[in-house]
């Protein structure tokens, strides 16, 4: 049963970072377990999608064209602005809270960041946000339950 709890947090963190801490507390995992599993989930996505970043970006491009979506929407302009101003560290910082680990990694790979830099910056970002968001969920999660 414990393995299923760990796997749940890990897999959810691979897709949507904030889901890791929320799932961890809802399953009764400790703070450290939740932080480590959330980081591991994000970093697994980072490794996978940095390796297949070009293929994934081509797929996204074809998908965007088939749906007739514009290339330069407001979201994309903001991402490019962050990239120009802060580089891979800015994208990495915003990935867990505004982007998903998958999309943030694809953006960094697509904009030309070396894999080594992507791994390094996404690692510190996942550590920082995992510690921060898990703390917030553990400390203040009971307040949210009053409203839902």
């Amino acid at each position: 049963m414990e393995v299923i709890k760990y796997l749940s947090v890990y897999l959810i963190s691979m897709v949507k970072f904030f889901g890791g801490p929320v799932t961890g507390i809802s399953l009764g995992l400790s703070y450290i377990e939740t932080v480590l599993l959330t980081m591991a989930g994000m970093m697994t996505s980072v490794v996978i999608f940095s390796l297949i970043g070009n293929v994934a970006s081509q797929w996204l491009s074809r998908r965007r064209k088939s749906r007739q979506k514009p290339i330069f929407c407001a979201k994309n302009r903001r991402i490019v602005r962050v990239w120009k101003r802060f580089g891979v560290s800015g994208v990495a910082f915003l990935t867990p809270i505004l982007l998903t680990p998958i999309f943030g990694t694809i953006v960094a790979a697509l904009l030309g960041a070396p894999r080594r830099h992507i791994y390094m910056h996404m690692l510190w970002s996942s550590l920082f946000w995992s510690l921060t968001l898990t703390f917030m969920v553990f400390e203040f999660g009971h307040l949210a339950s009053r409203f839902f």
Side-chain angles (χ1 to χ4, degrees):
M1 187 64 162
E2 212 51 37
V3 173
I4 293 173
K5 290 180 181 180
Y6 292 155
L7 194 58
S8 298
V9 175
Y10 174 76
L11 292 174
I12 288 171
S13 298
M14 285 178 67
V15 178
K16 190 66 178 164
F17 188 83
F18 189 72
V22 172
T23 305
I25 192 170
S26 67
L27 294 175
L29 298 179
S30 72
Y31 177 80
I32 296 297
E33 289 171 326
T34 303
V35 166
L36 293 176
L37 289 168
T38 302
M39 283 182 59
M42 178 173 162
M43 290 310 296
T44 301
S45 288
V46 168
V47 168
I48 291 169
F49 284 92
S50 68
L51 294 173
I52 62 169
N54 288 334
V55 174
S57 68
Q58 289 171 0
W59 176 80
L60 284 172
S61 179
R62 282 193 308 271
R63 184 173 175 227
R64 185 183 323 108
K65 285 179 186 176
S66 70
R67 292 183 175 189
Q68 298 178 344
K69 288 189 172 187
I71 293 173
F72 292 107
C73 63
K75 182 179 180 180
N76 291 348
R77 284 188 181 103
R78 281 190 294 267
I79 291 170
V80 170
R81 212 174 307 132
V82 167
W83 179 264
K84 283 183 176 181
R85 188 162 182 185
F86 301 106
V88 69
S89 59
V91 171
F93 181 76
L94 295 175
T95 290
I97 55 171
L98 296 180
L99 308 170
T100 64
I102 295 168
F103 187 66
T105 304
I106 291 172
V107 166
L110 183 64
L111 294 174
R115 275 193 205 125
R116 181 174 51 106
H117 290 175
I118 293 172
Y119 297 152
M120 179 181 63
H121 290 291
M122 291 294 188
L123 181 62
W124 68 254
S125 177
S126 70
L127 174 63
F128 172 77
W129 285 113
S130 181
L131 289 167
T132 303
L133 293 176
T134 303
F135 175 78
M136 290 172 64
V137 169
F138 269 73
E139 290 299 316
F140 305 113
H142 65 284
L143 296 175
S145 65
R146 291 184 191 173
F147 301 105
F148 298 106

